[in-house]
Amino acid sequence: MNTARIRDNLLSVQDRIADAARRSGRDPASVTLVAVTKKRPVAMVRPLVEAGMLDLGENYPQELWEKVDALADGPAAIRWHLIGHLQGNKARRTFPMVRVIHAVDSLKLLRTLDELAGEVADPPAVCLQVNTSDEEAKHGWKDAAVLTDADAIAACSRIRLIGLMTMAAYGTDAETARPSFIRLRAIRDALAGRIGRPLPDLSMGMSNDYEAAVEEGATLVRVGSALFEGVDS
Ligand SMILES: *Cc1c(COP(=O)(O)O)cnc(C)c1O
């Protein structure tokens, strides 16, 4: 396996994020790259960790549990992010392993996590998933519908709600995705106003469109395939 290529890919993605941040007058340090390692063997993840990449994202709880276990001998400072759908019955086990749950896609799940947050000292932060691209297949609140749940969301006061997350339509390029990002930021601003709490984070941007996402205010970008380009497993 080509570990030098993984390092090069990582540096290139980090550079592009920093450039996109500067272009839009933002501090590059305000953007956190989450390396999406779903479906990648642990042998491909280790070189990233060795290169200092400590924010790792997984989609599936089961796979997350396995990776957490497999990398338990690595740096204790790894920050795991769950970026995919979480079923309520997997929440309790997943909860203590992760720093951020990106895709809270229903009020029911938010309430479950709020209850769990009341039971532990340092609960993970969460983002609410909003479907800004009009695709039926996506999880989450449909666009501005999240605003109609503002009171119920505000009532979940134990869980640390930090912002919103979206996925642009599949297979689109950055410019097609950009309106989704602009939309998410607007909905975030509106929701923060309604619930009377700051929502500093926007989890948006993947390999095809992360630079546009950063230009539009992303604080968490979830990049997978761009990090593993040209790398044989
Ligand atoms: C797979 C995935 C990513 C990363 O996608 P790439 O195109 O490989 O960068 C980001 N976010 C979510 C929710 C994903 O499922």
Side-chain angles (χ1 to χ4, degrees), residues 86-93 95 101 104 106-119 123 126 156 158-159:
L86 176 61
Q87 293 127 287
N89 64 357
K90 294 187 174 160
R92 184 176 288 278
R93 176 157 178 198
F95 205 68
I101 298 173
V104 175
S106 70
L107 203 49
K108 185 161 184 275
L109 178 60
L110 183 66
R111 286 174 169 151
T112 300
L113 298 177
D114 189 52
E115 256 188 60
L116 287 174
E119 298 174 12
V126 303
C156 293
R158 290 166 292 193
I159 191 76

Side-chain angles (χ1 to χ4, degrees), residues 36 38 40 59 83-84 165 167 205-208 222-226:
V36 176
K38 65 161 181 255
R40 311 284 173 186
N59 276 63
I83 63 171
M165 174 269 202
M167 287 176 80
M206 317 193 339
S207 292
N208 280 344
R222 311 176 309 267
V223 176
S225 33

